[in-house]
Amino acid sequence: MSGAMKVLAELFEGIESETPYGGRAVSWEPLGSAWLKLGARRRREKNEPGGARAIETAAAETRSDARLTVGRMLRFGGGDWRIVAGETVGGRAILNLERIR
């Protein structure tokens, strides 16, 4: 990821609970922060029953950290990015991130 930008991201875990009316709510609990080296961002359209949505994806690299798991959320640059995939290679975590625009 040469020429990639480094950002400090906050890490959150979604905690589901039941609402008083029988619905489900998600609150985001902070777990800490991580420095990310971001790769290029890409946009694509995702067709769903309610219409098309724009999805932004990005790859990020950081130090290996057991807290960086699929489903958790990273907040940086004014946006919330979900970790959708990740692997550890030689002490480095390579993450695939996604956010819905």
Side-chain angles (χ1 to χ4, degrees):
M1 292 188 181
S2 62
M5 178 175 67
K6 278 196 167 190
V7 297
L8 182 61
E10 297 174 83
L11 177 64
F12 295 88
E13 178 176 25
I15 306 296
E16 280 195 26
S17 61
E18 189 171 326
T19 68
Y21 304 103
R24 304 297 293 169
V26 177
S27 61
W28 293 95
E29 299 291 323
L31 297 177
S33 58
W35 280 102
L36 303 176
K37 189 187 315 179
L38 292 177
R41 295 182 184 183
R42 294 178 179 79
R43 287 180 65 108
R44 62 181 171 87
E45 295 290 320
K46 184 175 185 178
N47 292 317
E48 294 185 346
R53 296 194 308 180
I55 305 288
E56 193 171 4
T57 62
E61 181 182 324
T62 188
R63 232 180 254 154
S64 180
D65 186 332
R67 299 174 301 164
L68 297 169
T69 60
V70 171
R72 290 190 173 161
M73 187 257 296
L74 290 161
R75 180 174 290 155
F76 59 90
D80 294 342
W81 294 78
R82 184 78 50 122
I83 301 172
V84 294
E87 65 178 325
T88 301
V89 179
R92 306 296 293 169
I94 309 300
L95 307 173
N96 292 324
L97 309 176
E98 179 178 281
R99 77 174 177 162
I100 298 171
R101 302 278 303 169

